[in-house]
PDB file of all heavy atoms in Angstrom:
ATOM      1  N   PRO Q   4      25.074  10.332  -1.539  1.00 73.00           N
ATOM      2  CA  PRO Q   4      25.365   9.027  -1.104  1.00 73.00           C
ATOM      3  C   PRO Q   4      26.567   8.943  -0.105  1.00 73.00           C
ATOM      4  O   PRO Q   4      27.331   9.794  -0.087  1.00 73.00           O
ATOM      5  CB  PRO Q   4      25.700   8.209  -2.366  1.00 73.00           C
ATOM      6  CG  PRO Q   4      24.879   9.179  -3.427  1.00 73.00           C
ATOM      7  CD  PRO Q   4      25.182  10.562  -2.956  1.00 73.00           C
ATOM      8  N   ILE Q  39      23.049 -13.841 -12.389  1.00 98.00           N
ATOM      9  CA  ILE Q  39      22.499 -12.469 -11.916  1.00 98.00           C
ATOM     10  C   ILE Q  39      21.605 -11.965 -13.016  1.00 98.00           C
ATOM     11  O   ILE Q  39      22.040 -11.650 -14.120  1.00 98.00           O
ATOM     12  CB  ILE Q  39      23.714 -11.603 -11.580  1.00 98.00           C
ATOM     13  CG1 ILE Q  39      24.562 -12.215 -10.605  1.00 98.00           C
ATOM     14  CG2 ILE Q  39      23.244 -10.285 -11.082  1.00 98.00           C
ATOM     15  CD1 ILE Q  39      25.937 -11.576 -10.269  1.00 98.00           C
ATOM     16  N   LEU Q  78      16.594  11.453  -4.500  1.00 87.00           N
ATOM     17  CA  LEU Q  78      15.920  10.799  -3.268  1.00 87.00           C
ATOM     18  C   LEU Q  78      16.945  10.106  -2.489  1.00 87.00           C
ATOM     19  O   LEU Q  78      17.814   9.399  -3.011  1.00 87.00           O
ATOM     20  CB  LEU Q  78      14.847   9.761  -3.785  1.00 87.00           C
ATOM     21  CG  LEU Q  78      13.832   9.212  -2.779  1.00 87.00           C
ATOM     22  CD1 LEU Q  78      13.040  10.280  -2.114  1.00 87.00           C
ATOM     23  CD2 LEU Q  78      12.989   8.236  -3.418  1.00 87.00           C
ATOM     24  N   PHE Q  85      16.040   2.305   6.461  1.00 97.00           N
ATOM     25  CA  PHE Q  85      14.772   2.293   7.064  1.00 97.00           C
ATOM     26  C   PHE Q  85      14.011   1.011   6.630  1.00 97.00           C
ATOM     27  O   PHE Q  85      13.397   0.382   7.364  1.00 97.00           O
ATOM     28  CB  PHE Q  85      13.870   3.464   6.862  1.00 97.00           C
ATOM     29  CG  PHE Q  85      14.507   4.845   7.455  1.00 97.00           C
ATOM     30  CD1 PHE Q  85      15.230   5.720   6.774  1.00 97.00           C
ATOM     31  CD2 PHE Q  85      14.454   4.918   8.840  1.00 97.00           C
ATOM     32  CE1 PHE Q  85      15.820   6.771   7.368  1.00 97.00           C
ATOM     33  CE2 PHE Q  85      15.106   6.065   9.364  1.00 97.00           C
ATOM     34  CZ  PHE Q  85      15.640   6.978   8.613  1.00 97.00           C
ATOM     35  N   CYS Q  97       5.985 -11.018  12.612  1.00 98.00           N
ATOM     36  CA  CYS Q  97       5.192 -11.802  11.780  1.00 98.00           C
ATOM     37  C   CYS Q  97       6.004 -12.668  10.705  1.00 98.00           C
ATOM     38  O   CYS Q  97       6.124 -12.300   9.590  1.00 98.00           O
ATOM     39  CB  CYS Q  97       4.184 -10.841  10.912  1.00 98.00           C
ATOM     40  SG  CYS Q  97       2.906 -11.793   9.986  1.00 98.00           S
ATOM     41  N   ALA Q  99       5.914 -15.406   9.593  1.00 98.00           N
ATOM     42  CA  ALA Q  99       5.356 -16.238   8.447  1.00 98.00           C
ATOM     43  C   ALA Q  99       5.063 -15.547   7.156  1.00 98.00           C
ATOM     44  O   ALA Q  99       4.903 -16.016   6.098  1.00 98.00           O
ATOM     45  CB  ALA Q  99       4.077 -16.763   8.983  1.00 98.00           C
ATOM     46  N   TYR Q 107      22.407  -6.217   5.360  1.00 98.00           N
ATOM     47  CA  TYR Q 107      22.145  -4.814   4.904  1.00 98.00           C
ATOM     48  C   TYR Q 107      23.496  -4.087   5.080  1.00 98.00           C
ATOM     49  O   TYR Q 107      24.350  -4.043   6.079  1.00 98.00           O
ATOM     50  CB  TYR Q 107      21.248  -4.123   6.044  1.00 98.00           C
ATOM     51  CG  TYR Q 107      21.225  -2.652   5.927  1.00 98.00           C
ATOM     52  CD1 TYR Q 107      21.013  -2.020   4.632  1.00 98.00           C
ATOM     53  CD2 TYR Q 107      21.536  -1.723   6.883  1.00 98.00           C
ATOM     54  CE1 TYR Q 107      20.954  -0.680   4.459  1.00 98.00           C
ATOM     55  CE2 TYR Q 107      21.642  -0.459   6.777  1.00 98.00           C
ATOM     56  CZ  TYR Q 107      21.370   0.162   5.643  1.00 98.00           C
ATOM     57  OH  TYR Q 107      21.348   1.424   5.441  1.00 98.00           O
ATOM     58  N   VAL Q 113      22.470  -1.341   0.107  1.00 98.00           N
ATOM     59  CA  VAL Q 113      22.086  -2.636  -0.363  1.00 98.00           C
ATOM     60  C   VAL Q 113      21.414  -3.409   0.675  1.00 98.00           C
ATOM     61  O   VAL Q 113      21.872  -3.484   1.791  1.00 98.00           O
ATOM     62  CB  VAL Q 113      23.355  -3.279  -0.926  1.00 98.00           C
ATOM     63  CG1 VAL Q 113      23.040  -4.839  -1.144  1.00 98.00           C
ATOM     64  CG2 VAL Q 113      23.727  -2.686  -2.191  1.00 98.00           C
ATOM     65  N   PHE Q 186      -1.306  13.176  -1.631  1.00 98.00           N
ATOM     66  CA  PHE Q 186      -2.186  14.072  -0.964  1.00 98.00           C
ATOM     67  C   PHE Q 186      -2.187  15.444  -1.656  1.00 98.00           C
ATOM     68  O   PHE Q 186      -2.930  16.372  -1.132  1.00 98.00           O
ATOM     69  CB  PHE Q 186      -1.776  14.274   0.395  1.00 98.00           C
ATOM     70  CG  PHE Q 186      -1.886  12.970   1.309  1.00 98.00           C
ATOM     71  CD1 PHE Q 186      -0.716  12.216   1.542  1.00 98.00           C
ATOM     72  CD2 PHE Q 186      -3.064  12.340   1.549  1.00 98.00           C
ATOM     73  CE1 PHE Q 186      -0.841  11.014   2.261  1.00 98.00           C
ATOM     74  CE2 PHE Q 186      -3.288  11.321   2.336  1.00 98.00           C
ATOM     75  CZ  PHE Q 186      -2.140  10.537   2.687  1.00 98.00           C
ATOM     76  N   LEU Q 210     -12.259  17.144 -10.768  1.00 98.00           N
ATOM     77  CA  LEU Q 210     -11.514  16.774  -9.517  1.00 98.00           C
ATOM     78  C   LEU Q 210     -10.671  18.096  -9.071  1.00 98.00           C
ATOM     79  O   LEU Q 210     -10.776  18.420  -7.849  1.00 98.00           O
ATOM     80  CB  LEU Q 210     -10.569  15.633  -9.685  1.00 98.00           C
ATOM     81  CG  LEU Q 210      -9.794  15.198  -8.460  1.00 98.00           C
ATOM     82  CD1 LEU Q 210     -10.728  14.683  -7.431  1.00 98.00           C
ATOM     83  CD2 LEU Q 210      -8.711  14.128  -8.778  1.00 98.00           C
ATOM     84  N   ILE Q 220      -8.943  15.457   1.328  1.00 99.00           N
ATOM     85  CA  ILE Q 220      -7.569  14.989   1.118  1.00 99.00           C
ATOM     86  C   ILE Q 220      -6.605  15.862   2.014  1.00 99.00           C
ATOM     87  O   ILE Q 220      -5.706  15.268   2.566  1.00 99.00           O
ATOM     88  CB  ILE Q 220      -7.191  15.097  -0.386  1.00 99.00           C
ATOM     89  CG1 ILE Q 220      -5.767  14.213  -0.659  1.00 99.00           C
ATOM     90  CG2 ILE Q 220      -6.836  16.448  -0.759  1.00 99.00           C
ATOM     91  CD1 ILE Q 220      -6.148  12.804  -0.526  1.00 99.00           C
ATOM     92  N   GLU Q 257       9.983   0.366   2.191  1.00 94.00           N
ATOM     93  CA  GLU Q 257      10.900   1.456   2.178  1.00 94.00           C
ATOM     94  C   GLU Q 257      10.202   2.772   2.521  1.00 94.00           C
ATOM     95  O   GLU Q 257      10.874   3.698   2.902  1.00 94.00           O
ATOM     96  CB  GLU Q 257      11.602   1.586   0.860  1.00 94.00           C
ATOM     97  CG  GLU Q 257      10.665   1.862  -0.402  1.00 94.00           C
ATOM     98  CD  GLU Q 257      11.172   1.598  -1.638  1.00 94.00           C
ATOM     99  OE1 GLU Q 257      12.465   1.787  -1.821  1.00 94.00           O
ATOM    100  OE2 GLU Q 257      10.509   1.351  -2.500  1.00 94.00           O
ATOM    101  N   ARG Q 289     -14.706 -12.558 -15.792  1.00 97.00           N
ATOM    102  CA  ARG Q 289     -14.142 -12.246 -14.485  1.00 97.00           C
ATOM    103  C   ARG Q 289     -15.158 -12.260 -13.344  1.00 97.00           C
ATOM    104  O   ARG Q 289     -14.787 -11.801 -12.249  1.00 97.00           O
ATOM    105  CB  ARG Q 289     -13.264 -10.920 -14.509  1.00 97.00           C
ATOM    106  CG  ARG Q 289     -12.164 -11.000 -15.554  1.00 97.00           C
ATOM    107  CD  ARG Q 289     -11.038 -11.932 -15.123  1.00 97.00           C
ATOM    108  NE  ARG Q 289      -9.872 -11.909 -16.027  1.00 97.00           N
ATOM    109  CZ  ARG Q 289      -8.836 -11.133 -15.828  1.00 97.00           C
ATOM    110  NH1 ARG Q 289      -8.570 -10.477 -14.591  1.00 97.00           N
ATOM    111  NH2 ARG Q 289      -7.722 -11.253 -16.606  1.00 97.00           N
ATOM    112  N   ALA Q 294     -16.314 -11.537  -7.579  1.00 98.00           N
ATOM    113  CA  ALA Q 294     -17.031 -11.855  -6.383  1.00 98.00           C
ATOM    114  C   ALA Q 294     -15.967 -12.255  -5.240  1.00 98.00           C
ATOM    115  O   ALA Q 294     -16.232 -11.718  -4.095  1.00 98.00           O
ATOM    116  CB  ALA Q 294     -17.913 -13.116  -6.610  1.00 98.00           C
ATOM    117  N   PRO Q 329      -4.242   1.671  30.102  1.00 97.00           N
ATOM    118  CA  PRO Q 329      -3.707   1.503  31.523  1.00 97.00           C
ATOM    119  C   PRO Q 329      -4.610   0.593  32.378  1.00 97.00           C
ATOM    120  O   PRO Q 329      -5.907   0.710  32.372  1.00 97.00           O
ATOM    121  CB  PRO Q 329      -3.672   2.832  32.065  1.00 97.00           C
ATOM    122  CG  PRO Q 329      -4.554   3.767  31.261  1.00 97.00           C
ATOM    123  CD  PRO Q 329      -4.559   3.134  29.920  1.00 97.00           C
ATOM    124  N   LEU Q 352     -11.720   2.261  10.932  1.00 99.00           N
ATOM    125  CA  LEU Q 352     -12.382   2.010   9.559  1.00 99.00           C
ATOM    126  C   LEU Q 352     -12.567   3.110   8.728  1.00 99.00           C
ATOM    127  O   LEU Q 352     -12.319   3.142   7.443  1.00 99.00           O
ATOM    128  CB  LEU Q 352     -13.770   1.250   9.927  1.00 99.00           C
ATOM    129  CG  LEU Q 352     -14.710   1.074   8.610  1.00 99.00           C
ATOM    130  CD1 LEU Q 352     -14.026   0.080   7.694  1.00 99.00           C
ATOM    131  CD2 LEU Q 352     -16.160   0.575   9.004  1.00 99.00           C
ATOM    132  N   ASP Q 377      -3.640   0.171 -16.445  1.00 98.00           N
ATOM    133  CA  ASP Q 377      -2.704   0.611 -17.533  1.00 98.00           C
ATOM    134  C   ASP Q 377      -2.546  -0.426 -18.624  1.00 98.00           C
ATOM    135  O   ASP Q 377      -2.330  -0.153 -19.781  1.00 98.00           O
ATOM    136  CB  ASP Q 377      -1.380   0.876 -17.082  1.00 98.00           C
ATOM    137  CG  ASP Q 377      -1.300   2.389 -16.742  1.00 98.00           C
ATOM    138  OD1 ASP Q 377      -2.238   3.084 -16.830  1.00 98.00           O
ATOM    139  OD2 ASP Q 377      -0.146   2.949 -16.287  1.00 98.00           O
ATOM    140  N   VAL Q 401     -14.386  11.267   0.285  1.00 99.00           N
ATOM    141  CA  VAL Q 401     -15.168  12.329   0.870  1.00 99.00           C
ATOM    142  C   VAL Q 401     -16.314  11.890   1.868  1.00 99.00           C
ATOM    143  O   VAL Q 401     -16.489  12.602   2.761  1.00 99.00           O
ATOM    144  CB  VAL Q 401     -15.958  13.038  -0.240  1.00 99.00           C
ATOM    145  CG1 VAL Q 401     -16.976  14.127   0.196  1.00 99.00           C
ATOM    146  CG2 VAL Q 401     -14.939  13.796  -1.255  1.00 99.00           C
TER     147      VAL Q 401
END
Side-chain angles (χ1 to χ4, degrees):
I39 301 166
L78 191 64
F85 296 105
C97 191
Y107 167 59
V113 162
F186 298 104
L210 182 66
I220 198 66
E257 65 198 328
R289 297 290 182 105
L352 175 62
D377 269 6
V401 173

